[in-house]
Amino acid sequence: LMNAAVAQDVEPARITRHCDSVSLCFSKGLGAPAGAVLAGRREFIAEAWRARKLLGGGMRQAGVLAAAARVGLEHAAATLRRDHDNARRFAEASPLPPPGIQELNSPLCSVNLMAVETNIVMVSVRGGWPSPAELCEHLQAVSEEELAETGQAVSVLLFPWSAHTVRAIWHRDVSARDTELAKNKLEFVARKCQE
């Protein structure tokens, strides 16, 4: 919800005005250590409250977590916009090395830039080898060869989303420098797979 609101430059209420209920997790892009909020009609919230109690949910001394969630909400626009910018930088061509996915011109992977609207980049994996799962394994693994060639040991965690797609997501703990390192790693892996 918050990523969509920032990407569209609208208030979250504008997106949710036709929803019966809304759940917002504070520990994802907002960076709180835990917590979520549920909104809806009074009867719905009463039933959710009862179900939470039946299942043993609830916390004491939750004020510290609530404070972290508040800080996350207060800084959401700037934090999430930075995440979106980093995701875009990973996907698109850049005038300086390392290149983004689009500029790699690799037969291995590509990205639809029109689909990069928030902090999510869906990378299409072509060919058949490596599969998305194998590509993710190569991106996570660090080899002596990588260290010798690039002077860096970088482990990138992506998710094999489907038979032909890998998903990359940015959050508040992934910096612009981390994004550059991930681009370098993808370039290295793509080159090694082509060889």
Side-chain angles (χ1 to χ4, degrees), residues 33-79:
V37 66
L38 181 65
R41 291 193 172 96
R42 185 179 309 271
E43 302 79 31
F44 173 75
I45 297 301
E47 181 58 26
W49 184 272
R50 189 181 81 72
R52 180 183 66 91
K53 287 289 192 182
L54 284 172
L55 296 172
M59 295 183 78
R60 303 232 186 278
Q61 320 306 332
V64 173
L65 294 176
R70 182 175 179 175
V71 169
L73 285 169
E74 289 171 352
H75 297 283
T79 300

Side-chain angles (χ1 to χ4, degrees), residues 3 26 34 50 54 81-82 86 97 103 107-108 114 116 118-119 129 136 149 155 162 175 184:
N3 276 291
F26 297 123
R50 189 181 81 72
L54 284 172
R81 198 165 288 115
R82 187 195 69 222
N86 283 334
E103 196 174 81
L108 175 67
M114 296 295 290
V116 182
T118 62
N119 63 325
W129 190 91
C136 289
E149 282 190 33
S155 180
S162 72
S175 69
N184 283 335

Side-chain angles (χ1 to χ4, degrees), residues 97-161:
I101 294 172
Q102 184 186 42
E103 196 174 81
L104 277 178
N105 291 323
S106 170
L108 175 67
C109 56
S110 65
V111 67
N112 175 2
L113 286 178
M114 296 295 290
V116 182
E117 299 178 276
T118 62
N119 63 325
I120 301 172
V121 176
M122 301 301 280
V123 181
S124 295
V125 180
R126 299 184 296 238
W129 190 91
S131 68
E134 290 167 326
L135 178 61
C136 289
E137 288 173 16
H138 287 298
L139 288 167
Q140 185 176 0
V142 176
S143 68
E144 294 293 329
E145 183 179 18
E146 175 188 356
L147 191 55
E149 282 190 33
T150 67
Q152 298 176 0
V154 176
S155 180
V156 177
L157 301 176
L158 299 183
F159 183 75
W161 186 254

